[in-house]
Amino acid sequence: MTVINKEINVISIRVTSVSTSSVVMVGDTEVIKCSSISDTPPESLIITPAAPVPAR
């Protein structure tokens, strides 16, 4: 396989929504680092034990 990368010029990117796991890549990507941002105050989080999923 032969890949020829040409010049890319990105002026702006507008993200209107994201899923649980999202990645936006522009151009060649050699390293991806994970990060997380949440705008929910910690006191509003409700953490419950995981419920078992019934087998089909």
Side-chain angles (χ1 to χ4, degrees), residues 2-6:
T2 302
V3 177
I4 300 173
N5 293 320
K6 300 203 176 186

Side-chain angles (χ1 to χ4, degrees), residues 44-52:
S44 69
L45 290 176
I46 300 172
I47 300 173
T48 60

Side-chain angles (χ1 to χ4, degrees), residues 6-55:
K6 300 203 176 186
E7 185 176 330
I8 184 170
N9 184 9
V10 178
I11 302 300
S12 103
I13 296 175
R14 181 177 180 182
V15 177
T16 57
S17 65
V18 296
S19 67
T20 306
S21 177
S22 300
V23 174
V24 175
M25 295 188 299
V26 176
D28 296 336
T29 303
E30 292 182 15
V31 177
I32 297 177
K33 293 185 179 183
C34 297
S35 66
S36 176
I37 298 175
S38 176
D39 64 352
T40 304
E43 59 273 7
S44 69
L45 290 176
I46 300 172
I47 300 173
T48 60
V53 177

